[in-house]
Amino acid sequence: MLNVGIIGVGSYVPEKRVTNFDMEKILDTSDEWIRTRTGIKERRFASSEQATSDLATIAAERAIKDAGISPEDIGLIIVGTNSPDTLYPATACRVQARIGAKNAAAFDLQAGCTGWIYATTVGAQFIRTGMYKYVLTIGAEVITRMMDKTDRYTYVLFGDGAGAAVLGNIEDGGFLSYELYADGSLAQHLVLPAGGSRMPLSQEVLDKRLQYTTMDGREVFKFSVREISRLSKNVINKAGLTANDIDWFIPHQANLRIIDAGMKRLGIPKEKVVVTIDKYGNSSAATVPVALDEIYRAGKIKKGDKILMVSFGAGMTSGAFIVEWSK
Ligand code: COA
C-alpha cells in the first residue's frame, strides 16, 4: 500500500458579495441577528449565468495547475455537491469535458455538506489500491438556488463556491486517518423535499415552495456540535496522535457557534482553527476545500503540518480526516 496525499489545491468563489445589510433589504432580519447567531457577515452568490459545474471547473483547473499535472493524467473525478447543474448527468461529467480530462471516469457524490470529505476519502482509496494514479475531488455548490428567498431562517445562511484537490501518491505523510459516518434516521432535519422521485415538481409543489430547503436548525446544531468533536477525536486516536499534534483544524463552516462549541469540547486553541464563514457563509460541500486553499495560498501551511478536516451535513452525515502536508 502506497502513501496518498494532496498534491494540488485550488478554489473559486463568485465575485458577487451579498452582505447582511443586503439581506435586511429583502427579509425581516438584521445584520446583528445574523452575525451574533451565525458569525456570517457576507456570502458570495453565483451570477445568473453560473451553475455548479462552472465554479467547479475553475477550482479544478487551479488545483491541476498547482499539482503540476495534465488533465489527461487524471483517472477519476468525484464532485461532492448538493446543487448539481441537473439531476443527471453528473456535474462531474460536465467538469470532465470542460477541463479535458479525457481519460477520467467521473461521478457525483451526495453526502450533504460532508460531500468533499466523503469524495476525498473515497478517492484516496482508489489511489491506495493502485487503480488510479491521480484523482480529482471537488466540493462545489450553487446551493443558494436551493434556498427560499422568502425564508429568513435558511436564506441568510448559505453562499456559493467551489474547492478542489488533486490526490496522488507521495513518499512521506499524506492521509493518516479517515472516518465517515451517516445516520439516515435523522434525514428529516435537513431536506430539499421536492424535485426528486418522491415528490416531482408540480404546480402544487411550487405553490407550497417545497422545491426549497427545509431545516430544523436546532436539531442540526446539536448533531453538528456532537459530530465535530466525536469524529475529530476518532481520527486523532486512529492516527495515534493527540489534539496537541494537530497544526490546523478546518471544520465545516455552517455556524461560528458550532465551530466554537466543537473546538471547545476538543480543547483546541482558536489560532489553529480556520474560519471563513464571516466572508462566505455556508457554501455546503465547498467550505472545507475553499478554507484549505485559502490558508495554503496564504503560505500558512508548512511541509509536515498535520491538518484535521471535519464536516457534517444533510443525511445526516459526518466525516473527518487528518492529512500530513507533503508539499
Ligand atoms: N433573522 C432574524 N430572526 C430570525 C432569523 C433571521 N434570519 N431566523 C430566525 N429568526 C428568529 C426565529 O424566528 C426565532 O424567533 P422566535 O423566538 O420569535 O420564534 C428566533 O430568531 C430564534 O430562533 P432559533 O431557531 O432559536 O435560533 P437559533 O439560535 O437556533 O439559530 C440557526 C438558528 C439556524 C442559526 C441555528 O439553529 C443553526 O445554525 N443551526 C444549524 C444550521 C446549519 O448549520 N445548517 C447547515 C448544516 S450543514
Side-chain angles (χ1 to χ4, degrees), residues 28-30 33-34 37-38 113 152-153 156-158 190 215-218 220-221 224 252 254-255 257-258 282 312-314 316:
D28 177 17
T29 189
S30 67
W33 191 96
I34 302 169
R37 299 283 174 138
T38 71
C113 297
R152 67 176 181 174
Y153 197 61
V156 301
L157 301 178
F158 293 90
L190 187 49
M215 177 181 76
D216 181 335
R218 288 187 190 183
V220 174
F221 197 100
S224 309
H252 174 44
N255 186 317
R257 290 188 294 140
I258 294 176
N282 178 354
F312 50 83
M316 303 290 292

PDB file of all heavy atoms in Angstrom, residues 28-30 33-34 37-38 113 152-153 156-158 190 215-218 220-221 224 252 254-255 257-258 282 312-314 316, ligand 1:
ATOM      1  N   ASP A  28     -37.089  40.059   6.751  1.00  0.00           N
ATOM      2  CA  ASP A  28     -37.253  40.602   8.103  1.00  0.00           C
ATOM      3  C   ASP A  28     -36.130  40.033   8.981  1.00  0.00           C
ATOM      4  O   ASP A  28     -36.307  39.077   9.728  1.00  0.00           O
ATOM      5  CB  ASP A  28     -38.639  40.175   8.629  1.00  0.00           C
ATOM      6  CG  ASP A  28     -38.850  40.651  10.052  1.00  0.00           C
ATOM      7  OD1 ASP A  28     -38.101  41.545  10.499  1.00  0.00           O
ATOM      8  OD2 ASP A  28     -39.759  40.113  10.713  1.00  0.00           O
ATOM      9  N   THR A  29     -34.945  40.619   8.799  1.00  0.00           N
ATOM     10  CA  THR A  29     -33.771  40.146   9.546  1.00  0.00           C
ATOM     11  C   THR A  29     -32.867  41.336   9.821  1.00  0.00           C
ATOM     12  O   THR A  29     -33.173  42.460   9.415  1.00  0.00           O
ATOM     13  CB  THR A  29     -33.033  39.048   8.752  1.00  0.00           C
ATOM     14  OG1 THR A  29     -32.032  38.464   9.580  1.00  0.00           O
ATOM     15  CG2 THR A  29     -32.375  39.592   7.485  1.00  0.00           C
ATOM     16  N   SER A  30     -31.757  41.097  10.517  1.00  0.00           N
ATOM     17  CA  SER A  30     -30.828  42.199  10.786  1.00  0.00           C
ATOM     18  C   SER A  30     -29.404  41.687  10.764  1.00  0.00           C
ATOM     19  O   SER A  30     -29.151  40.493  11.051  1.00  0.00           O
ATOM     20  CB  SER A  30     -31.121  42.821  12.156  1.00  0.00           C
ATOM     21  OG  SER A  30     -30.807  41.876  13.164  1.00  0.00           O
ATOM     22  N   TRP A  33     -28.599  40.166  14.123  1.00  0.00           N
ATOM     23  CA  TRP A  33     -29.090  38.799  14.367  1.00  0.00           C
ATOM     24  C   TRP A  33     -28.186  37.801  13.637  1.00  0.00           C
ATOM     25  O   TRP A  33     -27.747  36.813  14.218  1.00  0.00           O
ATOM     26  CB  TRP A  33     -30.546  38.638  13.889  1.00  0.00           C
ATOM     27  CG  TRP A  33     -31.161  37.338  14.356  1.00  0.00           C
ATOM     28  CD1 TRP A  33     -31.944  37.160  15.469  1.00  0.00           C
ATOM     29  CD2 TRP A  33     -31.021  36.040  13.753  1.00  0.00           C
ATOM     30  NE1 TRP A  33     -32.291  35.840  15.593  1.00  0.00           N
ATOM     31  CE2 TRP A  33     -31.739  35.124  14.553  1.00  0.00           C
ATOM     32  CE3 TRP A  33     -30.367  35.543  12.640  1.00  0.00           C
ATOM     33  CZ2 TRP A  33     -31.829  33.761  14.273  1.00  0.00           C
ATOM     34  CZ3 TRP A  33     -30.440  34.185  12.352  1.00  0.00           C
ATOM     35  CH2 TRP A  33     -31.164  33.304  13.167  1.00  0.00           C
ATOM     36  N   ILE A  34     -27.912  38.069  12.383  1.00  0.00           N
ATOM     37  CA  ILE A  34     -27.156  37.086  11.590  1.00  0.00           C
ATOM     38  C   ILE A  34     -25.741  36.937  12.159  1.00  0.00           C
ATOM     39  O   ILE A  34     -25.243  35.820  12.339  1.00  0.00           O
ATOM     40  CB  ILE A  34     -27.108  37.483  10.092  1.00  0.00           C
ATOM     41  CG1 ILE A  34     -28.516  37.615   9.519  1.00  0.00           C
ATOM     42  CG2 ILE A  34     -26.301  36.458   9.294  1.00  0.00           C
ATOM     43  CD1 ILE A  34     -28.578  38.251   8.128  1.00  0.00           C
ATOM     44  N   ARG A  37     -25.819  35.187  15.751  1.00  0.00           N
ATOM     45  CA  ARG A  37     -26.283  33.790  15.761  1.00  0.00           C
ATOM     46  C   ARG A  37     -25.436  32.866  14.910  1.00  0.00           C
ATOM     47  O   ARG A  37     -25.446  31.664  15.109  1.00  0.00           O
ATOM     48  CB  ARG A  37     -27.731  33.679  15.238  1.00  0.00           C
ATOM     49  CG  ARG A  37     -28.749  34.422  16.011  1.00  0.00           C
ATOM     50  CD  ARG A  37     -29.100  33.696  17.279  1.00  0.00           C
ATOM     51  NE  ARG A  37     -29.998  34.505  18.087  1.00  0.00           N
ATOM     52  CZ  ARG A  37     -31.061  34.010  18.723  1.00  0.00           C
ATOM     53  NH1 ARG A  37     -31.345  32.736  18.662  1.00  0.00           N
ATOM     54  NH2 ARG A  37     -31.808  34.803  19.444  1.00  0.00           N
ATOM     55  N   THR A  38     -24.740  33.441  13.910  1.00  0.00           N
ATOM     56  CA  THR A  38     -24.053  32.545  12.950  1.00  0.00           C
ATOM     57  C   THR A  38     -22.587  32.896  12.681  1.00  0.00           C
ATOM     58  O   THR A  38     -21.840  32.047  12.216  1.00  0.00           O
ATOM     59  CB  THR A  38     -24.755  32.578  11.565  1.00  0.00           C
ATOM     60  OG1 THR A  38     -24.505  33.848  10.946  1.00  0.00           O
ATOM     61  CG2 THR A  38     -26.244  32.348  11.669  1.00  0.00           C
ATOM     62  N   CYS A 113     -23.328  18.484   3.294  1.00  0.00           N
ATOM     63  CA  CYS A 113     -22.149  19.357   3.352  1.00  0.00           C
ATOM     64  C   CYS A 113     -20.871  18.549   3.576  1.00  0.00           C
ATOM     65  O   CYS A 113     -19.775  19.091   3.447  1.00  0.00           O
ATOM     66  CB  CYS A 113     -22.318  20.391   4.461  1.00  0.00           C
ATOM     67  SG  CYS A 113     -23.699  21.497   4.170  1.00  0.00           S
ATOM     68  N   ARG A 152     -36.336  33.623   5.937  1.00  0.00           N
ATOM     69  CA  ARG A 152     -35.184  34.239   6.613  1.00  0.00           C
ATOM     70  C   ARG A 152     -34.373  33.219   7.400  1.00  0.00           C
ATOM     71  O   ARG A 152     -33.206  33.434   7.703  1.00  0.00           O
ATOM     72  CB  ARG A 152     -35.654  35.358   7.546  1.00  0.00           C
ATOM     73  CG  ARG A 152     -36.458  34.862   8.737  1.00  0.00           C
ATOM     74  CD  ARG A 152     -36.801  36.004   9.665  1.00  0.00           C
ATOM     75  NE  ARG A 152     -37.552  35.503  10.815  1.00  0.00           N
ATOM     76  CZ  ARG A 152     -37.887  36.252  11.849  1.00  0.00           C
ATOM     77  NH1 ARG A 152     -37.570  37.527  11.881  1.00  0.00           N
ATOM     78  NH2 ARG A 152     -38.567  35.736  12.854  1.00  0.00           N
ATOM     79  N   TYR A 153     -35.020  32.113   7.755  1.00  0.00           N
ATOM     80  CA  TYR A 153     -34.367  31.103   8.601  1.00  0.00           C
ATOM     81  C   TYR A 153     -33.234  30.374   7.869  1.00  0.00           C
ATOM     82  O   TYR A 153     -32.231  30.023   8.466  1.00  0.00           O
ATOM     83  CB  TYR A 153     -35.436  30.102   9.044  1.00  0.00           C
ATOM     84  CG  TYR A 153     -35.030  29.254  10.225  1.00  0.00           C
ATOM     85  CD1 TYR A 153     -34.718  29.854  11.448  1.00  0.00           C
ATOM     86  CD2 TYR A 153     -34.978  27.871  10.116  1.00  0.00           C
ATOM     87  CE1 TYR A 153     -34.356  29.079  12.537  1.00  0.00           C
ATOM     88  CE2 TYR A 153     -34.616  27.093  11.192  1.00  0.00           C
ATOM     89  CZ  TYR A 153     -34.311  27.694  12.407  1.00  0.00           C
ATOM     90  OH  TYR A 153     -33.951  26.930  13.471  1.00  0.00           O
ATOM     91  N   VAL A 156     -30.384  33.295   4.791  1.00  0.00           N
ATOM     92  CA  VAL A 156     -29.227  34.108   5.221  1.00  0.00           C
ATOM     93  C   VAL A 156     -27.978  33.263   5.462  1.00  0.00           C
ATOM     94  O   VAL A 156     -26.877  33.797   5.587  1.00  0.00           O
ATOM     95  CB  VAL A 156     -29.557  34.911   6.510  1.00  0.00           C
ATOM     96  CG1 VAL A 156     -30.746  35.838   6.273  1.00  0.00           C
ATOM     97  CG2 VAL A 156     -29.817  33.994   7.697  1.00  0.00           C
ATOM     98  N   LEU A 157     -28.141  31.937   5.538  1.00  0.00           N
ATOM     99  CA  LEU A 157     -27.022  31.096   5.990  1.00  0.00           C
ATOM    100  C   LEU A 157     -26.051  30.697   4.879  1.00  0.00           C
ATOM    101  O   LEU A 157     -24.897  30.379   5.155  1.00  0.00           O
ATOM    102  CB  LEU A 157     -27.557  29.789   6.616  1.00  0.00           C
ATOM    103  CG  LEU A 157     -28.500  29.918   7.816  1.00  0.00           C
ATOM    104  CD1 LEU A 157     -28.963  28.530   8.250  1.00  0.00           C
ATOM    105  CD2 LEU A 157     -27.809  30.632   8.972  1.00  0.00           C
ATOM    106  N   PHE A 158     -26.522  30.663   3.638  1.00  0.00           N
ATOM    107  CA  PHE A 158     -25.754  29.959   2.610  1.00  0.00           C
ATOM    108  C   PHE A 158     -25.095  30.880   1.582  1.00  0.00           C
ATOM    109  O   PHE A 158     -25.514  32.017   1.372  1.00  0.00           O
ATOM    110  CB  PHE A 158     -26.655  28.939   1.901  1.00  0.00           C
ATOM    111  CG  PHE A 158     -27.074  27.814   2.820  1.00  0.00           C
ATOM    112  CD1 PHE A 158     -28.229  27.898   3.585  1.00  0.00           C
ATOM    113  CD2 PHE A 158     -26.278  26.677   2.948  1.00  0.00           C
ATOM    114  CE1 PHE A 158     -28.595  26.872   4.453  1.00  0.00           C
ATOM    115  CE2 PHE A 158     -26.640  25.652   3.810  1.00  0.00           C
ATOM    116  CZ  PHE A 158     -27.802  25.754   4.563  1.00  0.00           C
ATOM    117  N   LEU A 190     -32.906  18.056   7.606  1.00  0.00           N
ATOM    118  CA  LEU A 190     -32.358  18.949   6.572  1.00  0.00           C
ATOM    119  C   LEU A 190     -32.668  18.328   5.216  1.00  0.00           C
ATOM    120  O   LEU A 190     -32.023  17.359   4.812  1.00  0.00           O
ATOM    121  CB  LEU A 190     -30.842  19.103   6.796  1.00  0.00           C
ATOM    122  CG  LEU A 190     -30.075  20.106   5.945  1.00  0.00           C
ATOM    123  CD1 LEU A 190     -30.735  21.465   5.915  1.00  0.00           C
ATOM    124  CD2 LEU A 190     -28.647  20.237   6.455  1.00  0.00           C
ATOM    125  N   MET A 215     -35.330  23.035   7.079  1.00  0.00           N
ATOM    126  CA  MET A 215     -34.315  22.652   8.069  1.00  0.00           C
ATOM    127  C   MET A 215     -34.850  22.840   9.486  1.00  0.00           C
ATOM    128  O   MET A 215     -35.543  23.813   9.772  1.00  0.00           O
ATOM    129  CB  MET A 215     -33.095  23.553   7.853  1.00  0.00           C
ATOM    130  CG  MET A 215     -31.975  23.338   8.824  1.00  0.00           C
ATOM    131  SD  MET A 215     -30.613  24.479   8.483  1.00  0.00           S
ATOM    132  CE  MET A 215     -31.270  26.001   9.154  1.00  0.00           C
ATOM    133  N   ASP A 216     -34.496  21.908  10.354  1.00  0.00           N
ATOM    134  CA  ASP A 216     -34.723  22.084  11.785  1.00  0.00           C
ATOM    135  C   ASP A 216     -33.376  22.492  12.386  1.00  0.00           C
ATOM    136  O   ASP A 216     -32.531  21.656  12.706  1.00  0.00           O
ATOM    137  CB  ASP A 216     -35.233  20.771  12.398  1.00  0.00           C
ATOM    138  CG  ASP A 216     -35.516  20.918  13.886  1.00  0.00           C
ATOM    139  OD1 ASP A 216     -34.914  21.809  14.521  1.00  0.00           O
ATOM    140  OD2 ASP A 216     -36.325  20.137  14.406  1.00  0.00           O
ATOM    141  N   GLY A 217     -33.169  23.815  12.466  1.00  0.00           N
ATOM    142  CA  GLY A 217     -31.860  24.360  12.828  1.00  0.00           C
ATOM    143  C   GLY A 217     -31.327  23.843  14.151  1.00  0.00           C
ATOM    144  O   GLY A 217     -30.148  23.533  14.281  1.00  0.00           O
ATOM    145  N   ARG A 218     -32.207  23.718  15.134  1.00  0.00           N
ATOM    146  CA  ARG A 218     -31.732  23.300  16.467  1.00  0.00           C
ATOM    147  C   ARG A 218     -31.248  21.858  16.465  1.00  0.00           C
ATOM    148  O   ARG A 218     -30.256  21.535  17.107  1.00  0.00           O
ATOM    149  CB  ARG A 218     -32.842  23.466  17.492  1.00  0.00           C
ATOM    150  CG  ARG A 218     -33.063  24.925  17.779  1.00  0.00           C
ATOM    151  CD  ARG A 218     -34.020  25.101  18.902  1.00  0.00           C
ATOM    152  NE  ARG A 218     -34.377  26.517  18.964  1.00  0.00           N
ATOM    153  CZ  ARG A 218     -35.160  27.012  19.891  1.00  0.00           C
ATOM    154  NH1 ARG A 218     -35.670  26.247  20.814  1.00  0.00           N
ATOM    155  NH2 ARG A 218     -35.431  28.297  19.890  1.00  0.00           N
ATOM    156  N   VAL A 220     -30.117  20.220  13.822  1.00  0.00           N
ATOM    157  CA  VAL A 220     -28.869  20.194  13.043  1.00  0.00           C
ATOM    158  C   VAL A 220     -27.719  20.709  13.913  1.00  0.00           C
ATOM    159  O   VAL A 220     -26.613  20.162  13.914  1.00  0.00           O
ATOM    160  CB  VAL A 220     -29.000  21.050  11.752  1.00  0.00           C
ATOM    161  CG1 VAL A 220     -27.667  21.145  11.027  1.00  0.00           C
ATOM    162  CG2 VAL A 220     -30.061  20.465  10.825  1.00  0.00           C
ATOM    163  N   PHE A 221     -27.984  21.735  14.675  1.00  0.00           N
ATOM    164  CA  PHE A 221     -26.970  22.326  15.555  1.00  0.00           C
ATOM    165  C   PHE A 221     -26.448  21.277  16.542  1.00  0.00           C
ATOM    166  O   PHE A 221     -25.232  21.089  16.688  1.00  0.00           O
ATOM    167  CB  PHE A 221     -27.613  23.502  16.310  1.00  0.00           C
ATOM    168  CG  PHE A 221     -26.618  24.437  16.936  1.00  0.00           C
ATOM    169  CD1 PHE A 221     -26.283  25.628  16.318  1.00  0.00           C
ATOM    170  CD2 PHE A 221     -26.022  24.138  18.158  1.00  0.00           C
ATOM    171  CE1 PHE A 221     -25.369  26.502  16.894  1.00  0.00           C
ATOM    172  CE2 PHE A 221     -25.113  25.003  18.737  1.00  0.00           C
ATOM    173  CZ  PHE A 221     -24.785  26.194  18.107  1.00  0.00           C
ATOM    174  N   SER A 224     -24.376  18.604  14.895  1.00  0.00           N
ATOM    175  CA  SER A 224     -23.116  19.113  14.363  1.00  0.00           C
ATOM    176  C   SER A 224     -22.069  19.289  15.457  1.00  0.00           C
ATOM    177  O   SER A 224     -20.913  18.903  15.274  1.00  0.00           O
ATOM    178  CB  SER A 224     -23.359  20.449  13.664  1.00  0.00           C
ATOM    179  OG  SER A 224     -24.414  20.315  12.743  1.00  0.00           O
ATOM    180  N   HIS A 252     -16.123  22.314   8.918  1.00  0.00           N
ATOM    181  CA  HIS A 252     -17.172  22.834   8.034  1.00  0.00           C
ATOM    182  C   HIS A 252     -17.681  24.161   8.597  1.00  0.00           C
ATOM    183  O   HIS A 252     -17.835  24.314   9.804  1.00  0.00           O
ATOM    184  CB  HIS A 252     -18.293  21.800   7.955  1.00  0.00           C
ATOM    185  CG  HIS A 252     -19.485  22.272   7.198  1.00  0.00           C
ATOM    186  ND1 HIS A 252     -19.385  22.941   5.995  1.00  0.00           N
ATOM    187  CD2 HIS A 252     -20.815  22.183   7.474  1.00  0.00           C
ATOM    188  CE1 HIS A 252     -20.594  23.238   5.567  1.00  0.00           C
ATOM    189  NE2 HIS A 252     -21.475  22.792   6.442  1.00  0.00           N
ATOM    190  N   ALA A 254     -20.576  26.195   8.993  1.00  0.00           N
ATOM    191  CA  ALA A 254     -22.035  26.331   8.956  1.00  0.00           C
ATOM    192  C   ALA A 254     -22.499  27.383   9.937  1.00  0.00           C
ATOM    193  O   ALA A 254     -23.485  28.081   9.694  1.00  0.00           O
ATOM    194  CB  ALA A 254     -22.708  25.005   9.282  1.00  0.00           C
ATOM    195  N   ASN A 255     -21.792  27.479  11.066  1.00  0.00           N
ATOM    196  CA  ASN A 255     -22.174  28.430  12.104  1.00  0.00           C
ATOM    197  C   ASN A 255     -20.978  28.578  13.041  1.00  0.00           C
ATOM    198  O   ASN A 255     -20.438  27.568  13.508  1.00  0.00           O
ATOM    199  CB  ASN A 255     -23.394  27.873  12.858  1.00  0.00           C
ATOM    200  CG  ASN A 255     -23.930  28.872  13.864  1.00  0.00           C
ATOM    201  OD1 ASN A 255     -23.168  29.519  14.583  1.00  0.00           O
ATOM    202  ND2 ASN A 255     -25.246  29.004  13.907  1.00  0.00           N
ATOM    203  N   ARG A 257     -20.865  29.456  15.997  1.00  0.00           N
ATOM    204  CA  ARG A 257     -21.133  28.902  17.333  1.00  0.00           C
ATOM    205  C   ARG A 257     -20.934  27.391  17.347  1.00  0.00           C
ATOM    206  O   ARG A 257     -20.526  26.818  18.348  1.00  0.00           O
ATOM    207  CB  ARG A 257     -22.558  29.260  17.781  1.00  0.00           C
ATOM    208  CG  ARG A 257     -22.710  30.758  18.088  1.00  0.00           C
ATOM    209  CD  ARG A 257     -24.064  31.036  18.716  1.00  0.00           C
ATOM    210  NE  ARG A 257     -25.148  30.781  17.793  1.00  0.00           N
ATOM    211  CZ  ARG A 257     -26.309  30.206  18.095  1.00  0.00           C
ATOM    212  NH1 ARG A 257     -26.562  29.799  19.313  1.00  0.00           N
ATOM    213  NH2 ARG A 257     -27.235  30.032  17.178  1.00  0.00           N
ATOM    214  N   ILE A 258     -21.219  26.720  16.220  1.00  0.00           N
ATOM    215  CA  ILE A 258     -20.979  25.266  16.135  1.00  0.00           C
ATOM    216  C   ILE A 258     -19.473  25.017  16.174  1.00  0.00           C
ATOM    217  O   ILE A 258     -18.985  24.137  16.888  1.00  0.00           O
ATOM    218  CB  ILE A 258     -21.594  24.676  14.837  1.00  0.00           C
ATOM    219  CG1 ILE A 258     -23.115  24.782  14.857  1.00  0.00           C
ATOM    220  CG2 ILE A 258     -21.145  23.222  14.638  1.00  0.00           C
ATOM    221  CD1 ILE A 258     -23.813  24.318  13.576  1.00  0.00           C
ATOM    222  N   ASN A 282     -22.190  29.581   4.532  1.00  0.00           N
ATOM    223  CA  ASN A 282     -22.077  28.131   4.400  1.00  0.00           C
ATOM    224  C   ASN A 282     -22.205  27.757   2.924  1.00  0.00           C
ATOM    225  O   ASN A 282     -23.302  27.765   2.373  1.00  0.00           O
ATOM    226  CB  ASN A 282     -23.175  27.467   5.233  1.00  0.00           C
ATOM    227  CG  ASN A 282     -23.161  25.952   5.125  1.00  0.00           C
ATOM    228  OD1 ASN A 282     -22.396  25.376   4.345  1.00  0.00           O
ATOM    229  ND2 ASN A 282     -24.014  25.288   5.906  1.00  0.00           N
ATOM    230  N   PHE A 312     -20.024  17.965   8.483  1.00  0.00           N
ATOM    231  CA  PHE A 312     -21.298  17.336   8.841  1.00  0.00           C
ATOM    232  C   PHE A 312     -22.357  17.928   7.932  1.00  0.00           C
ATOM    233  O   PHE A 312     -22.148  19.029   7.386  1.00  0.00           O
ATOM    234  CB  PHE A 312     -21.638  17.631  10.309  1.00  0.00           C
ATOM    235  CG  PHE A 312     -21.521  19.096  10.615  1.00  0.00           C
ATOM    236  CD1 PHE A 312     -22.554  19.972  10.328  1.00  0.00           C
ATOM    237  CD2 PHE A 312     -20.348  19.618  11.128  1.00  0.00           C
ATOM    238  CE1 PHE A 312     -22.419  21.333  10.554  1.00  0.00           C
ATOM    239  CE2 PHE A 312     -20.209  21.002  11.348  1.00  0.00           C
ATOM    240  CZ  PHE A 312     -21.249  21.843  11.065  1.00  0.00           C
ATOM    241  N   GLY A 313     -23.454  17.227   7.749  1.00  0.00           N
ATOM    242  CA  GLY A 313     -24.486  17.813   6.894  1.00  0.00           C
ATOM    243  C   GLY A 313     -25.670  16.899   6.683  1.00  0.00           C
ATOM    244  O   GLY A 313     -25.856  15.903   7.406  1.00  0.00           O
ATOM    245  N   ALA A 314     -26.450  17.243   5.651  1.00  0.00           N
ATOM    246  CA  ALA A 314     -27.699  16.529   5.376  1.00  0.00           C
ATOM    247  C   ALA A 314     -27.425  15.051   5.202  1.00  0.00           C
ATOM    248  O   ALA A 314     -26.389  14.630   4.690  1.00  0.00           O
ATOM    249  CB  ALA A 314     -28.356  17.103   4.123  1.00  0.00           C
ATOM    250  N   MET A 316     -28.465  12.508   8.067  1.00  0.00           N
ATOM    251  CA  MET A 316     -27.321  13.349   8.380  1.00  0.00           C
ATOM    252  C   MET A 316     -26.020  12.556   8.161  1.00  0.00           C
ATOM    253  O   MET A 316     -25.992  11.352   8.416  1.00  0.00           O
ATOM    254  CB  MET A 316     -27.372  13.824   9.839  1.00  0.00           C
ATOM    255  CG  MET A 316     -28.632  14.585  10.251  1.00  0.00           C
ATOM    256  SD  MET A 316     -28.793  16.214   9.521  1.00  0.00           S
ATOM    257  CE  MET A 316     -27.467  17.091  10.302  1.00  0.00           C
TER     258      MET A 316
HETATM  259  N1  COA B   1     -33.329  36.985  11.321  1.00  0.00           N
HETATM  260  C1  COA B   1     -33.959  37.348  12.447  1.00  0.00           C
HETATM  261  N2  COA B   1     -34.593  36.480  13.255  1.00  0.00           N
HETATM  262  C2  COA B   1     -34.569  35.178  12.876  1.00  0.00           C
HETATM  263  C3  COA B   1     -33.930  34.738  11.700  1.00  0.00           C
HETATM  264  C4  COA B   1     -33.285  35.703  10.910  1.00  0.00           C
HETATM  265  N3  COA B   1     -32.627  35.395   9.784  1.00  0.00           N
HETATM  266  N4  COA B   1     -34.064  33.401  11.608  1.00  0.00           N
HETATM  267  C5  COA B   1     -34.789  33.006  12.676  1.00  0.00           C
HETATM  268  N5  COA B   1     -35.101  34.080  13.455  1.00  0.00           N
HETATM  269  C6  COA B   1     -35.837  34.108  14.706  1.00  0.00           C
HETATM  270  C7  COA B   1     -36.715  32.903  14.907  1.00  0.00           C
HETATM  271  O1  COA B   1     -37.938  33.085  14.243  1.00  0.00           O
HETATM  272  C8  COA B   1     -36.865  32.874  16.417  1.00  0.00           C
HETATM  273  O2  COA B   1     -37.852  33.807  16.777  1.00  0.00           O
HETATM  274  P1  COA B   1     -38.903  33.469  17.953  1.00  0.00           P
HETATM  275  O3  COA B   1     -38.065  33.254  19.179  1.00  0.00           O
HETATM  276  O4  COA B   1     -39.749  34.697  17.992  1.00  0.00           O
HETATM  277  O5  COA B   1     -39.604  32.241  17.490  1.00  0.00           O
HETATM  278  C9  COA B   1     -35.535  33.383  16.923  1.00  0.00           C
HETATM  279  O6  COA B   1     -34.922  34.031  15.806  1.00  0.00           O
HETATM  280  C10 COA B   1     -34.630  32.311  17.463  1.00  0.00           C
HETATM  281  O7  COA B   1     -34.672  31.174  16.596  1.00  0.00           O
HETATM  282  P2  COA B   1     -33.835  29.875  16.910  1.00  0.00           P
HETATM  283  O8  COA B   1     -34.197  28.820  15.946  1.00  0.00           O
HETATM  284  O9  COA B   1     -33.932  29.544  18.393  1.00  0.00           O
HETATM  285  O10 COA B   1     -32.358  30.413  16.663  1.00  0.00           O
HETATM  286  P3  COA B   1     -31.024  29.669  16.857  1.00  0.00           P
HETATM  287  O11 COA B   1     -30.239  30.355  17.910  1.00  0.00           O
HETATM  288  O12 COA B   1     -31.202  28.177  16.966  1.00  0.00           O
HETATM  289  O13 COA B   1     -30.306  29.963  15.463  1.00  0.00           O
HETATM  290  C11 COA B   1     -29.803  28.880  13.397  1.00  0.00           C
HETATM  291  C12 COA B   1     -30.899  29.491  14.265  1.00  0.00           C
HETATM  292  C13 COA B   1     -30.441  28.373  12.115  1.00  0.00           C
HETATM  293  C14 COA B   1     -28.799  29.975  13.071  1.00  0.00           C
HETATM  294  C15 COA B   1     -29.108  27.744  14.167  1.00  0.00           C
HETATM  295  O14 COA B   1     -30.060  26.871  14.710  1.00  0.00           O
HETATM  296  C16 COA B   1     -28.159  26.960  13.307  1.00  0.00           C
HETATM  297  O15 COA B   1     -27.197  27.469  12.786  1.00  0.00           O
HETATM  298  N6  COA B   1     -28.407  25.636  13.158  1.00  0.00           N
HETATM  299  C17 COA B   1     -27.590  24.806  12.328  1.00  0.00           C
HETATM  300  C18 COA B   1     -27.927  25.065  10.887  1.00  0.00           C
HETATM  301  C19 COA B   1     -26.895  24.518   9.953  1.00  0.00           C
HETATM  302  O16 COA B   1     -25.745  24.507  10.276  1.00  0.00           O
HETATM  303  N7  COA B   1     -27.330  24.085   8.772  1.00  0.00           N
HETATM  304  C20 COA B   1     -26.470  23.579   7.781  1.00  0.00           C
HETATM  305  C21 COA B   1     -25.867  22.305   8.224  1.00  0.00           C
HETATM  306  S1  COA B   1     -24.720  21.704   7.093  1.00  0.00           S
END
